[in-house]
Amino acid sequence: VQLQASGGGLVQPGGSLRLSCVGSGGSLDYYAIGWFRQVPGKEHEGISCISYTGYGAPGSTYYTDSVKGRFTISKDNAKNTVYLQMDSLKPEDTAVYSCAADVGCATDWSLYRHRGQGTLVTVSS
């Protein structure tokens, strides 16, 4: 499966953005999808994940502490897309955001077999 993240841009502190991770070449139903972010000079940080939703499985969601209560991950199986709704954005959320897919959720970017290109989010006044 190939992944493409989009939806980034410039937003003021306190604002919102919704990122999309579109899958092609395979159904995202059968993968866990993780969202990561990276700032220059640092490793990818795992911020959210939604587990497998094939065969009607409800899927579990996970968030790193710094985004809990502000970010929401969801999946639209009909569109083969996973979203990351980001609210109450802070300057420290500025990063390149990328999505990845594998059989289960993990916080280590290198463990995902399928990794997409990122989209830049800039939070600044």
Side-chain angles (χ1 to χ4, degrees):
V1 66
Q2 292 79 47
L3 304 170
Q4 180 63 57
S6 64
L10 173 64
V11 62
Q12 292 187 341
S16 298
L17 278 176
R18 187 178 75 162
L19 305 183
S20 299
C21 174
V22 179
S24 59
S27 172
L28 297 187
D29 278 1
Y30 305 109
Y31 293 92
I33 307 298
W35 278 102
F36 290 77
R37 63 187 180 188
Q38 187 180 34
V39 297
K42 292 193 174 181
E43 298 291 326
H44 283 87
E45 176 191 15
I47 58 172
S48 185
C49 188
I50 185 166
S51 64
Y52 169 90
T53 56
Y55 300 106
S60 298
T61 57
Y62 306 92
Y63 302 92
T64 194
D65 286 346
S66 63
V67 308
K68 278 181 184 176
R70 300 189 298 123
F71 292 10
T72 305
I73 191 171
S74 62
K75 184 186 281 188
D76 185 333
N77 292 329
K79 295 183 178 180
N80 214 31
T81 300
V82 172
Y83 300 102
L84 186 68
Q85 177 66 41
M86 306 188 297
D87 299 317
S88 303
L89 283 161
K90 305 175 181 180
E92 52 263 44
D93 294 318
T94 295
V96 174
Y97 286 71
S98 305
C99 54
D102 211 308
V103 295
C105 288
T107 57
D108 188 337
W109 172 256
S110 67
L111 295 179
Y112 283 80
R113 287 177 293 168
H114 309 282
R115 293 173 280 178
Q117 297 296 316
T119 184
L120 176 62
V121 172
T122 304
V123 184
S124 175
S125 54

